[in-house]
Amino acid sequence: MAAAAWLVAAVLVATAGVSFIVSASTQHQDSTGLIMLGILALALALLSAYSVLRLWSGKRSARETLGSIGVIAGVPLLFRGPALVAVGLLLLACTVLLWLPASNRFFQLRDPRKRRSRGGSKGLRQG
């Protein structure tokens, strides 16, 4: 569930990035700032999408990357107007989903150290 939510969040952030770049092309004031903000949003969206792929394979570093993106990008967006507040809340909610008990179980099942210790203890009992 967390991976699907993060995929939706990545699409939403990418949409915001494209929106910033399109707005910059229609405005002549502060277009550089909007373009840079759009590029940053697109980069975060790409990093989020890549991390979701790694998340599905059980990489803990992907959970930490997405959690960092959620907090670092989500909190400031809460103070940037109604449209961006929704994006900030979504990023923070997605971050919470990464740390719920169901997500913890998902990562425990894919932890290679736990799999080795389980397999080793079964071998000792049978032998």
Side-chain angles (χ1 to χ4, degrees):
M1 180 163 178
W6 268 103
L7 213 50
V8 169
V11 169
L12 185 62
V13 170
T15 303
V18 170
S19 171
F20 291 143
I21 293 171
V22 168
S23 293
S25 67
T26 60
Q27 295 178 3
H28 299 293
Q29 294 179 348
D30 196 29
S31 63
T32 305
L34 281 175
I35 290 173
M36 294 305 292
L37 189 57
I39 290 171
L40 177 63
L42 288 173
L44 283 176
L46 287 173
L47 180 60
S48 297
Y50 174 71
S51 295
V52 167
L53 294 175
R54 292 180 43 85
L55 191 67
W56 277 328
S57 65
K59 303 289 185 191
R60 288 180 187 264
S61 61
R63 178 164 72 161
E64 294 162 0
T65 300
L66 289 171
S68 298
I69 290 171
V71 171
I72 292 171
V75 171
L77 290 177
L78 295 177
F79 306 101
R80 290 290 173 198
L84 294 178
V85 166
V87 176
L89 287 173
L90 176 65
L91 290 173
L92 292 172
C94 289
T95 301
V96 169
L97 288 176
L98 290 171
W99 299 97
L100 291 178
S103 293
N104 288 333
R105 280 191 298 276
F106 173 82
F107 285 104
Q108 286 174 350
L109 291 173
R110 281 157 183 78
D111 189 356
R113 292 174 292 178
K114 300 247 181 188
R115 274 188 274 157
R116 263 188 264 130
S117 67
R118 275 191 247 139
S121 63
K122 287 181 183 175
L124 291 174
R125 288 186 207 152
Q126 292 173 356

